[in-house]
C-alpha cells in the first residue's frame, strides 16, 4: 500500500479539492457525486443536497434505496445492479462485522448466509407496494429465527433492523416515504441476488474521489465494515500523500486537481447527511471538537453552513404554511457579502422544499 515518497498536502488544499469535486460550483445539472449516492436522512435531505449543487432529482433516473450502512440513498437507477454486488459482503467475516449487534449475536455468525436469506425473503414478500412494517413482519417469519429477536414493545419477533435494511437493495426493493410512513416496492430494474461481491474496489475509489485523501479505516467506517476488509480490495492506482502527519490516499488521476485546488468563495447550505459531511475524517472538516458535536449529532442534527471551503456555522429550518423559517447560527462573524449570498441560498433551499417564501434569520 505504500509507494515511498509522499506529497505533503495541507488541510486547506484538501477541503478546496473536495468542494470542487462535489460540484458546489453548479457547473453541471448532473452532479458527479451521484456516483457515491446522496443520503436522504432525514427525508428531504437528498433533494436539498442536490439543490446545493444546482440540481434536482427529477429527470436524473434516480431511485431511493437502502445502500451504505442500510441508510436511504438516492442512486442512479442504472447503477443499482452493480451497487448491490459491490455492497455484498466479501466473505462471512465481513458479513458478520456488518450485522454484529447484541440482538442477533448468534445469527450474525451466519455471515453471508444471513444476507442471502434476507434478500431472498424480500424477493418473495415484496411483489407490490407494502408498508415497511408489513414487510418486516413477513420477512421476519421467513428467515432463520436466529436473525430475529423478541420486541417486548411490539409483542413480536423482529428481524434485526441493521440486517433488514442492509439486505434491502440485494432484495430488489425501493424505498418510498409517504407521509409519516415508509413504503417498500419492487425495483423496476431487475437483477439477481448477488452470488459474490464484485466491484467493491470501485466503491472505495468513489469514496476517495469525493472524500479523499483518506485511509482504509475511514472508508471502512463509511461502508460499515472492518479496515482489513477494505485493505483486501484497496485499489492499486492511488496516490499516497501526507496529511496532518498521517498517510492518506486518493486516485492518482486526482492528484493534480488536489495540488491546484483553490477557494472558490462559495456559500452553500448543506443539509444533514450531505455527501460532503459524510467524510470520516471529521478533524479535517471541522478541527474544533465542540463544533463537531454541534454538527454531527446522533439524532436531530442541523444542516451546515459552507463558506468558501470551511464549515462556518449550522442551520435549522421549519415549514410554516407556505413559508420556510430558516435560522442560521454562524460560528464566526459573517461578512456582508456572505449575508447577501445567504439570501439566495435560502431561496434555493425553500424551492427544494417546495415552499414559495422564506424568512431568514442569522443568529
Amino acid at each position: 500500500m505504500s509507494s515511498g515518497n509522499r506529497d505533503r498536502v495541507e488541510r486547506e488544499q484538501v477541503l478546496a479539492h473536495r468542494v470542487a469535486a462535489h460540484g458546489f460550483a453548479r457547473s453541471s445539472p448532473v452532479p458527479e457525486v451521484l456516483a457515491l449516492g446522496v443520503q436522504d436522512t432525514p427525508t428531504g435531505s437528498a433533494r436539498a443536497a442536490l439543490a446545493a449543487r444546482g440540481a434536482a432529482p427529477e429527470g436524473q433516473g434516480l431511485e431511493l434505496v437502502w445502500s451504505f450502512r442500510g441508510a436511504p440513498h438516492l442512486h442512479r437507477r442504472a447503477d443499482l445492479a452493480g451497487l448491490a454486488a459491490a455492497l455484498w459482503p466479501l466473505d462471512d467475516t465481513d458479513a458478520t462485522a456488518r450485522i454484529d449487534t447484541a440482538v442477533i449475536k448468534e445469527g450474525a455468525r451466519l455471515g453471508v448466509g444471513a444476507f442471502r436469506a434476507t434478500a431472498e425473503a424480500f424477493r418473495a414478500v415484496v411483489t407490490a407496494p407494502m408498508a415497511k412494517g408489513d414487510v418486516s413482519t413477513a420477512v421476519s417469519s421467513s428467515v432463520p429465527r436466529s436473525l430475529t429477536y423478541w420486541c417486548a414493545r411490539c409483542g413480536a419477533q423482529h428481524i434485526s433492523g441493521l440486517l433488514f435494511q442492509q439486505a434491502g437493495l440485494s432484495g430488489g426493493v425501493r424505498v418510498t416515504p409517504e407521509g409519516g410512513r415508509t413504503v417498500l416496492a419492487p425495483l423496476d430494474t431487475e437483477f439477481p441476488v448477488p452470488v459474490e461481491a464484485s466491484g467493491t474496489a470501485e466503491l472505495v475509489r468513489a469514496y476517495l474521489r469525493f472524500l479523499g485523501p483518506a485511509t482504509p479505516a475511514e472508508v471502512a467506517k463509511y461502508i460499515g465494515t472492518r479496515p482489513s476488509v477494505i485493505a483486501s480490495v484497496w485499489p492499486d492506482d492511488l496516490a499516497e500523500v501526507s496529511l496532518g502527519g498521517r498517510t492518506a490516499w486518493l486516485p492518482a488521476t486526482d492528484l493534480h486537481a488536489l495540488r491546484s485546488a483553490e477557494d472558490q468563495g462559495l456559500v452553500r447550505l448543506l443539509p444533514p447527511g450531505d455527501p460532503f459531511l459524510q467524510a470520516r475524517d471529521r478533524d479535517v472538516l471541522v478541527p474544533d471538537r465542540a463544533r463537531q458535536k454541534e454538527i454531527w449529532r446522533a439524532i436531530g442534527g442541523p444542516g451546515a453552513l459552507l463558506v468558501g471551503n470551511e464549515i462556518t456555522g449550522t442551520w435549522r429550518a421549519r415549514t410554516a404554511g407556505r413559508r420556510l423559517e430558516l435560522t442560521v447560527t454562524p460560528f464566526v462573524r459573517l461578512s456582508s457579502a456572505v449575508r447577501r449570498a445567504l439570501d439566495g441560498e435560502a431561496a434555493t433551499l425553500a424551492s427544494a422544499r417546495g415552499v414559495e417564501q422564506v424568512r431568514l434569520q442569522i443568529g
Side-chain angles (χ1 to χ4, degrees), residues 308-347:
N309 303 322
E310 297 284 350
I311 301 299
T312 60
T314 61
W315 62 266
R316 292 186 180 276
R318 68 181 185 90
T319 302
R322 298 299 297 171
R323 185 170 72 179
L324 185 70
E325 302 279 354
L326 174 63
T327 301
V328 175
T329 305
F331 298 153
V332 297
R333 184 179 178 85
L334 302 180
S335 69
S336 56
V338 170
R339 287 173 173 264
R340 288 193 298 271
L342 273 174
D343 288 332
E345 294 309 303

Side-chain angles (χ1 to χ4, degrees), residues 34-266:
L34 285 168
L36 193 61
V38 180
Q39 188 168 330
D40 195 43
T41 310
T43 300
S45 292
R47 177 176 286 274
L50 292 175
R53 295 160 173 80
E58 288 78 16
Q60 304 260 11
L62 305 182
E63 203 77 82
L64 186 66
V65 296
W66 288 324
S67 60
F68 294 100
R69 309 169 308 283
H73 284 69
L74 276 180
H75 288 281
R76 295 179 296 213
R77 193 172 295 116
D79 294 344
L80 294 181
L83 180 65
L87 284 175
W88 192 253
L90 273 73
D91 54 29
D92 288 335
T93 300
D94 179 19
T96 297
R98 298 193 196 195
I99 59 173
D100 190 13
T101 62
V103 296
I104 59 161
K105 278 290 183 182
E106 180 183 345
R109 298 191 187 100
L110 293 177
V112 175
F115 279 78
R116 184 169 306 284
T118 308
E120 290 175 349
F122 268 117
R123 303 274 178 143
V125 168
V126 184
T127 58
M130 295 175 61
K132 176 185 173 184
D134 293 338
V135 176
S136 176
T137 298
V139 169
S140 297
S141 65
S142 301
V143 299
R145 189 174 178 82
S146 62
L147 299 178
T148 68
Y149 67 99
W150 178 255
C151 176
R153 182 173 64 87
C154 298
Q157 200 76 14
H158 283 320
I159 187 170
S160 159
L162 191 59
L163 171 59
F164 183 68
Q165 294 194 193
Q166 287 192 80
L169 175 58
S170 294
V173 299
R174 70 158 65 93
V175 181
T176 306
E178 290 188 3
R181 68 174 191 158
T182 299
V183 173
L184 305 180
L187 286 166
D188 293 333
T189 304
E190 295 185 6
F191 53 87
V193 174
V195 175
E196 60 183 5
S198 64
T200 312
E202 289 305 313
L203 288 188
V204 173
R205 192 176 285 105
Y207 181 96
L208 297 175
R209 178 184 174 193
F210 296 102
L211 298 172
T215 67
E218 289 158 359
V219 180
K221 286 182 180 179
Y222 182 80
I223 291 178
T225 189
R226 296 176 179 173
S228 58
V229 172
I230 298 304
S232 72
V233 292
W234 199 247
D236 295 326
D237 56 343
L238 302 179
E240 188 175 300
V241 300
S242 176
L243 171 60
R246 65 187 180 89
T247 304
W249 291 262
L250 79 163
T253 52
D254 291 343
L255 185 57
H256 174 73
L258 171 62
R259 290 170 174 161
S260 59
E262 296 181 352
D263 189 337
Q264 301 179 64
L266 304 174

Side-chain angles (χ1 to χ4, degrees), residues 7-59:
D7 282 287
R8 178 178 175 180
V9 296
E10 302 299 326
R11 170 180 173 273
E12 293 75 15
Q13 284 178 283
V14 170
L15 294 180
H17 172 63
R18 291 182 188 176
V19 166
H22 275 255
F24 289 125
R26 296 171 177 165
S27 58
S28 171
V30 184
E32 294 185 12
V33 76
L34 285 168
L36 193 61
V38 180
Q39 188 168 330
D40 195 43
T41 310
T43 300
S45 292
R47 177 176 286 274
L50 292 175
R53 295 160 173 80
E58 288 78 16

